[in-house]
Amino acid sequence: MSKILEKVFGLQAGQHKVRTEVVAGITTFLTMAYILAVNPNIFGAIPDMPRGAVFTATALASIIGTLMMAFYAKKPFALAPGMGLNAFFVFTVCLTMGYSWQFALTAVLIEGILFVIMSVTGVRSWLVNAIPDTLKKAIGAGIGLFIAFIGFQNAGIIVNNDATLVSLGHLTQGTALLGIIGLVITIALVLLKVKGGILWGILITTVIGLLINDPATGHAITSLTRNEAGKLMLVSLPESVKPIFCQFEWTNVLSLDMLVVVLTFLFIDLFDTMGTIIGVSQSIPSAQGKDGNIEGLDKMFLADSVATVAGACLGTSTTTTYVESASGVTAGGRTGLTAFSTAICFALALFLSPIFLAIPGAATAPALIIVGVMMMKNVKLIDWEDYSEAIPAFVTIIMMPLAYSISDGILLGVITYVITHAISGQFKKVSATMWILAVLFILRYIFI
């Protein structure tokens, strides 16, 4: 059995434990399962796009991408339709530009095919390896801040404020109270080194959510679905994807708008995925090769690319590698078995959606906050005395949560890195690739 697991998932008996990998996979799923509820809601803004079909497409795209990551790349990363990318699909391409969702799906398909070509030819790996070591460490820390910020938002601890952009929520009631209780519980479990502490924190917080009401609704935060007769629903059959399956529109494929949309999808997905893989891999010592580069990049990128093509065919927006994979890695996930476990959870969610969708954002928020803490450790490896290194690292870190974008953090970090080293006369430390990337990124902000 150990030889089979090693061949299929890259699991080595002396280094990895099956139980740890499975728990890590479940943890990853629970921190990203919100996409099963959020994606259909976002697509629900398009009148003729059925939400039930989008739910099924979301789960299937996640399963396909994550299984390929498990079996082909043998890495502990999970994939699903990306947040931000789905909003651009719906609110910009369809509702603002006025194009049909079939047009947008065609753009996603083209982007996915381009990514497959870039992955097979090694272009995506070449771009990752061109990023300086300082920025790679900063990306990991920036992602840590970003997902912690998401966690605080999901819990209602940090809320919108029109005057100051953000402010504290009402900490003594509702989701914020549940999030704080869950955070204390999770911290205790982590400090006491309880096996699967982050996962147990999610589950315990979910149960406590049955006892705390949300002031906005007057109902318990953790709410279970009931049918018309008032009985609890635990199982439901998924709807068919037939209405949105392979619904492409080729009439505007050569238009300028199609080019702009494809390039936007391309830029966001490319650097979101790059940032996630670089940042999360910083927490996996075995992921670093002798030359300091990340091992298996080509396979990870190809899995991500194929998932995007599959997602477009199924009828959903760009499928990408999820930053929440960091929660599984933090829980000990190191191999494809972690990703396989996550994919199985997505498969179960197709039929057990009432159970999985009952887990509130406030219950998974503590996991994201703790993972954010753990991802900050590489900050100490940045040379803060050398401002030509420190300034671009700081820009990368701070812009991810402030711009609410991994890709913008990377792009602005690269631009700043080139500028600071050029001003200080350290031209030899800036490769030709970095100069080219900086120019392209500046043009991107000007024209796209």
Side-chain angles (χ1 to χ4, degrees):
M1 179 60 71
S2 60
K3 290 183 178 180
I4 294 175
L5 290 175
E6 181 176 356
K7 184 177 181 180
V8 176
F9 299 116
L11 186 144
Q12 298 179 9
Q15 300 180 24
H16 312 117
K17 294 181 179 179
V18 172
R19 181 183 180 278
T20 300
E21 299 287 324
V22 172
V23 168
I26 298 172
T27 302
T28 295
F29 171 76
L30 292 179
T31 56
M32 64 184 287
Y34 64 85
I35 192 60
L36 293 172
V38 172
N39 211 41
N41 285 339
I42 289 177
F43 277 88
I46 303 175
D48 59 339
M49 205 167 186
R51 292 176 59 187
V54 173
F55 173 87
T56 304
T58 300
L60 290 176
S62 304
I63 292 167
I64 292 170
T66 307
L67 283 179
M68 189 165 182
M69 188 68 75
F71 292 118
Y72 179 64
K74 296 177 173 54
K75 299 295 183 180
F77 297 97
L79 295 89
M83 290 296 294
L85 289 160
N86 52 8
F88 176 75
F89 182 111
V90 173
F91 299 111
T92 300
V93 180
C94 295
L95 300 184
T96 301
M97 297 175 70
Y99 283 105
S100 66
W101 56 266
Q102 292 88 342
F103 172 93
L105 282 179
T106 307
V108 174
L109 177 69
I110 295 172
E111 176 225 346
I113 293 172
L114 290 174
F115 268 160
V116 170
I117 296 171
M118 292 173 66
S119 300
V120 171
T121 57
V123 172
R124 294 179 79 177
S125 297
W126 169 68
L127 288 172
V128 171
N129 294 331
I131 302 295
D133 192 53
T134 293
L135 291 186
K136 288 181 179 178
K137 293 180 174 61
I139 289 170
I143 288 176
L145 279 184
F146 182 47
I147 62 177
F149 184 53
I150 293 173
F152 282 118
Q153 279 188 308
N154 289 348
I157 296 173
I158 295 295
V159 296
N160 176 67
N161 185 302
D162 292 338
T164 61
L165 296 182
V166 294
S167 62
L168 276 176
H170 297 289
L171 303 185
T172 58
Q173 62 182 14
T175 58
L177 175 60
L178 179 61
I180 291 173
I181 293 172
L183 184 59
V184 172
I185 292 171
T186 306
I187 289 173
L189 292 171
V190 170
L191 291 177
L192 295 173
K193 298 181 179 180
V194 175
K195 290 282 187 179
I198 292 178
L199 175 58
W200 280 113
I202 294 172
L203 297 177
I204 294 171
T205 307
T206 298
V207 173
I208 295 175
L210 293 168
L211 308 175
I212 299 177
N213 287 337
D214 184 349
T217 64
H219 301 296
I221 296 174
T222 301
S223 58
L224 299 174
T225 304
R226 296 178 181 273
N227 60 19
E228 295 179 356
K231 293 183 179 180
L232 289 177
M233 290 180 61
L234 302 179
V235 180
S236 64
L237 291 175
E239 291 190 27
S240 171
V241 297
K242 185 177 179 180
I244 57 176
F245 182 76
C246 287
Q247 296 294 314
F248 301 119
E249 179 183 293
W250 302 104
T251 54
N252 295 296
V253 72
L254 298 179
S255 66
L256 178 61
D257 280 347
M258 176 63 81
L259 177 63
V260 172
V261 171
V262 169
L263 288 178
T264 302
F265 277 133
L266 196 72
F267 262 100
I268 297 174
D269 189 19
L270 173 62
F271 291 99
D272 268 3
T273 300
M274 178 188 294
T276 296
I277 290 176
I278 291 175
V280 179
S281 293
Q282 297 289 317
S283 302
I284 309 175
S286 59
Q288 312 299 319
K290 294 181 180 179
D291 55 359
N293 294 328
I294 300 170
E295 294 185 342
L297 271 177
D298 288 336
K299 290 185 176 181
M300 285 187 276
F301 283 139
L302 186 56
D304 180 89
S305 306
V306 171
T308 293
V309 174
C313 293
L314 289 165
T316 187
S317 53
T318 302
T319 303
T320 187
T321 305
Y322 256 56
V323 68
E324 282 83 359
S325 300
S327 62
V329 170
T330 301
R334 296 291 182 270
T335 73
L337 183 57
T338 293
F340 178 73
S341 302
T342 304
I344 294 299
C345 288
F346 271 111
L348 291 173
L350 276 170
F351 303 94
L352 302 175
S353 57
I355 296 177
F356 287 112
L357 297 181
I359 299 173
T364 58
L368 297 179
I369 296 168
I370 295 299
V371 169
V373 173
M374 295 174 175
M375 291 188 70
M376 290 298 295
K377 62 183 179 182
N378 285 325
V379 167
K380 64 183 179 183
L381 302 177
I382 297 172
D383 185 0
W384 295 104
E385 299 297 324
D386 182 352
Y387 288 126
S388 65
E389 298 283 328
I391 292 174
F394 180 76
V395 168
T396 302
I397 293 170
I398 198 65
M399 289 309 296
M400 285 188 188
L402 292 185
Y404 215 78
S405 168
I406 295 173
S407 59
D408 282 320
I410 296 174
L411 268 59
L412 293 171
V414 168
I415 294 170
T416 308
Y417 186 91
V418 171
I419 291 174
T420 56
H421 283 76
I423 292 175
S424 60
Q426 301 180 63
F427 294 98
K428 291 183 179 181
K429 294 186 69 174
V430 183
S431 65
T433 301
M434 287 290 287
W435 279 103
I436 294 172
L437 289 176
V439 171
L440 290 175
F441 296 164
I442 291 172
L443 292 175
R444 184 261 183 189
Y445 282 114
I446 294 174
F447 295 109
I448 299 180

